[in-house]
Amino acid sequence: MPGSFHKTRLNRNRSGVFLPISTCITGTDEIPPLPQTEKQRRAEREILKFSEHYSSILGMDRRDFLKTACGMAAAFMAMNAVYGPLFNVDPAEAANPDVTAGRRNSLSRQFIFDVQTHFVRGKYEWKGLLQLRKAAQRWNPKLKGETLTAEKIQYDNFVREVFLESDTTLALLSSAPSDNPEGWFIRNDDMARTRKMFNEKAGSKRLFSHAVITPGQPRWLDELDRAISEYKPDSWKGYTVGSPSTFSKYPWRLDDEKLVYPAYEKMEKAGIMNVCIHKGLISPEAKKLSNSTWRYGNVDDVGRAAKDWPHLNFIIYHSALERIGEPNRHDLDTFEKTGYIPWVSDLARTPEQYSVANVFAELGTVFATTVISNPRYCSGILGTLIKGLGVDHVLWGTDSVWYGSPQWQIEAFRRIEIPKDLQKNFGFLSLGSADGMVRKAILGLNAARLYRLNAEKLVEGSGDTIRMLKEKV
């Protein structure tokens, strides 16, 4: 892996128009990209219309305007025009660069701990993950027109997009298992080495890393022992469905006493208490096939495991959202009538049902996809998680680098609000201001507590390499 940080120029547009926020859903390592919906097409048209208006006020070319903070504000105004007043944005932000600069500067030192990020190892041969970048070219301005090469999803670009082109303070490097040893896009030892190299060059601990567990696979406990003694991961990552494809020979349950509880004992003894588990994001195709392991992706095994192991923290990735993409009419109607969201609501009820306080939800992919497909539903997901788990039990994650820089997701989260009628109907809390305690907790303070960090001290520090490079970008 390359051994230096460096500043690189942003990708230039070669075709089409840059859009500062997403208007379609790309894929992840678990799922393919999805087609653009009619509302997303409307949002795209509205963004172009708003940008035409405000760029003319500022005497700017529309393409250049859309790359500015004013363009970002105009995009959220366009989203409100399509989906209703769900994003906090002042029209002055689109018309006055001083207003947007003031807001951005006031938030640029906000502590953000992204607990789900990715890149692929240099010798990883499968090129399928590049298709995620290709799909993302339709909406991410920094990806538009780029030449698709393996380097786009490798280490150097990961550093640039996650740390230099966003307000992210810390990141947790993750991976996914495969039944085939060659199918891992980054292995446990690679993650540990990358963490060490990155932090030495940064001059501070900015990068954290998982060790992936594979219950049921040959010698999997030996690899866990090796991780404890050699890799010393900051936390664990597991897929109860066996692998991202949900077609695995090794599905498992969190509450399997014979298979998994011996691993929990080792984790607890080692003092590595955060157990991050992929749940949800089931594709419709997987449900149709008899050999799919999709049923292991629900949350009916979380409560008992959490109760039996109260000192471990069970962090459920993707908040267990059952399906990705535009919620169907049945799900929307059910939510509006009852507040129920498939698998998310089940996860949120776990603390009350099992009398536990060690279950957490992570927002990777679930926020990014719902905030663009149906922001009202997205606000319902946030409200449900906060109400059921507690505002101190929801963690920020983005699934970058598949999506490019996570800055648009950060901006969307700082602005989205839960509508008054949903607050009244279901007892949801307001998310408050962009720098209020609710958003600060979710963006970073909750993860800092779980990883035993002093967030205030980290934000005050300004002498490391990353901070200096970021100020030059």
Side-chain angles (χ1 to χ4, degrees):
M1 296 176 186
S4 64
F5 298 131
H6 57 279
K7 178 182 175 183
T8 56
R9 293 186 301 171
L10 303 183
N11 294 306
R12 300 297 182 184
N13 180 32
R14 298 177 188 171
S15 63
V17 179
F18 287 165
L19 298 178
I21 59 176
S22 172
T23 57
C24 70
I25 299 173
T26 64
T28 71
D29 53 316
E30 292 95 3
I31 47 173
L34 299 177
Q36 198 177 34
T37 68
E38 175 54 35
K39 278 196 172 182
Q40 289 161 12
R41 287 191 289 271
R42 281 178 54 202
E44 189 169 297
R45 292 193 295 268
E46 288 296 315
I47 291 173
L48 295 176
K49 184 173 75 174
F50 274 77
S51 64
E52 186 71 35
H53 172 71
Y54 284 101
S55 64
S56 65
I57 291 176
L58 295 175
M60 295 180 66
D61 176 85
R62 185 177 68 178
R63 292 171 185 259
D64 292 335
F65 173 80
L66 283 167
K67 299 173 188 175
T68 67
C70 290
M72 178 78 77
F76 283 110
M77 291 172 64
M79 293 285 281
N80 282 343
V82 175
Y83 295 103
L86 285 150
F87 298 98
N88 296 320
V89 57
D90 186 335
E93 293 180 60
N96 189 333
D98 291 337
V99 174
T100 54
R103 181 182 186 277
R104 179 65 189 271
N105 290 338
S106 71
L107 296 172
S108 64
R109 300 295 290 271
Q110 191 174 47
F111 179 73
I112 299 175
F113 190 170
D114 189 334
V115 299
Q116 187 176 186
T117 65
H118 306 279
F119 69 85
V120 305
R121 54 190 166 91
K123 295 183 179 180
Y124 184 68
E125 295 183 354
W126 187 62
K127 299 300 190 293
L129 287 173
L130 281 174
Q131 297 308 306
L132 306 181
R133 301 281 296 196
K134 183 176 181 179
Q137 288 179 346
R138 291 183 294 171
W139 54 264
N140 191 325
K142 295 174 184 177
L143 306 185
K144 199 88 170 184
E146 75 174 10
T147 302
L148 290 174
T149 63
E151 287 76 13
K152 300 301 181 183
I153 53 174
Q154 291 178 353
Y155 173 78
D156 275 358
N157 201 47
F158 164 82
V159 173
R160 178 170 67 86
E161 292 188 336
V162 172
F163 284 100
L164 303 186
E165 295 179 4
S166 85
D167 291 338
T168 301
T169 312
L170 309 177
L172 176 59
L173 180 59
S174 189
S175 187
S178 172
D179 289 8
N180 176 6
E182 296 302 315
W184 292 48
F185 54 81
I186 182 169
R187 303 185 183 95
N188 288 337
D189 57 345
D190 291 329
M191 285 190 281
R193 281 194 295 269
T194 301
R195 177 189 59 186
K196 182 176 185 295
M197 177 187 70
F198 181 96
N199 291 332
E200 285 178 350
K201 293 187 177 297
S204 65
K205 188 167 183 178
R206 291 269 196 160
L207 186 64
F208 295 67
S209 65
H210 275 146
V212 175
I213 61 172
T214 56
Q217 290 198 22
R219 298 177 298 280
W220 77 278
L221 283 176
D222 293 341
E223 173 63 9
L224 189 148
D225 288 334
R226 185 178 301 108
I228 291 172
S229 63
E230 298 179 19
Y231 313 148
K232 303 187 186 313
D234 298 289
S235 52
W236 308 97
K237 175 75 175 294
Y239 279 64
T240 53
V241 290
S243 74
S245 68
T246 68
F247 296 96
S248 171
K249 294 186 292 185
Y250 305 103
W252 51 282
R253 289 179 59 89
L254 286 169
D255 57 2
D256 188 325
E257 294 184 28
K258 183 177 179 181
L259 178 64
V260 189
Y261 279 28
Y264 295 156
E265 186 175 359
K266 292 174 181 287
M267 295 172 184
E268 189 171 275
K269 185 177 179 180
I272 305 172
M273 304 301 212
N274 296 328
V275 186
C276 306
I277 302 296
H278 169 95
K279 289 286 190 180
L281 298 191
I282 306 301
S283 70
E285 292 75 17
K287 284 191 169 186
K288 297 175 183 177
L289 300 175
S290 60
N291 62 334
S292 171
T293 58
W294 71 268
R295 289 181 177 82
Y296 289 82
N298 68 28
V299 294
D300 64 356
D301 56 346
V302 174
R304 181 165 171 257
K307 193 173 186 67
D308 288 347
W309 296 90
H311 299 301
L312 297 178
N313 301 309
F314 290 87
I315 303 168
I316 306 305
Y317 272 31
H318 314 298
S319 302
L321 181 67
E322 181 183 8
R323 292 181 294 276
I324 190 171
E326 177 84 11
N328 61 36
R329 176 48 53 189
H330 176 267
D331 286 349
L332 288 172
D333 289 345
T334 300
F335 167 66
E336 293 291 344
K337 292 177 182 177
T338 69
Y340 179 77
I341 299 171
W343 295 10
V344 173
S345 295
D346 302 317
L347 174 64
R349 285 198 290 260
T350 303
E352 181 180 6
Q353 289 180 328
Y354 289 87
S355 300
V356 295
N358 57 334
V359 174
F360 299 77
E362 182 267 352
L363 295 174
T365 292
V366 60
F367 178 78
T369 56
T370 59
V371 80
I372 60 174
S373 67
N374 194 307
R376 181 176 170 88
Y377 198 67
C378 178
S379 74
I381 290 173
L382 295 173
T384 299
L385 294 172
I386 292 170
K387 180 181 178 181
L389 298 176
V391 71
D392 57 346
H393 280 58
V394 182
L395 307 183
W396 179 249
T398 67
D399 245 336
S400 300
V401 71
W402 312 143
Y403 292 95
S405 171
Q407 187 62 29
W408 75 270
Q409 295 187 53
I410 293 169
E411 282 295 322
F413 182 75
R414 285 169 171 166
R415 293 179 182 276
I416 194 170
E417 181 55 281
I418 299 175
K420 295 289 187 182
D421 64 315
L422 295 185
Q423 294 182 37
K424 178 180 178 181
N425 293 343
F426 304 120
F428 295 157
L429 298 175
S430 167
L431 299 179
S433 64
D435 61 350
M437 284 308 302
V438 171
R439 296 184 207 261
K440 288 199 295 187
I442 293 173
L443 281 171
L445 297 182
N446 294 339
R449 184 181 69 255
L450 289 181
Y451 286 88
R452 304 167 189 169
L453 305 173
N454 185 329
E456 184 176 344
K457 184 177 180 180
L458 286 165
V459 170
E460 289 176 351
S462 59
D464 72 352
T465 305
I466 293 295
R467 176 63 64 186
M468 290 186 288
L469 286 175
K470 186 177 292 190
E471 290 172 352
K472 296 178 182 179
V473 172

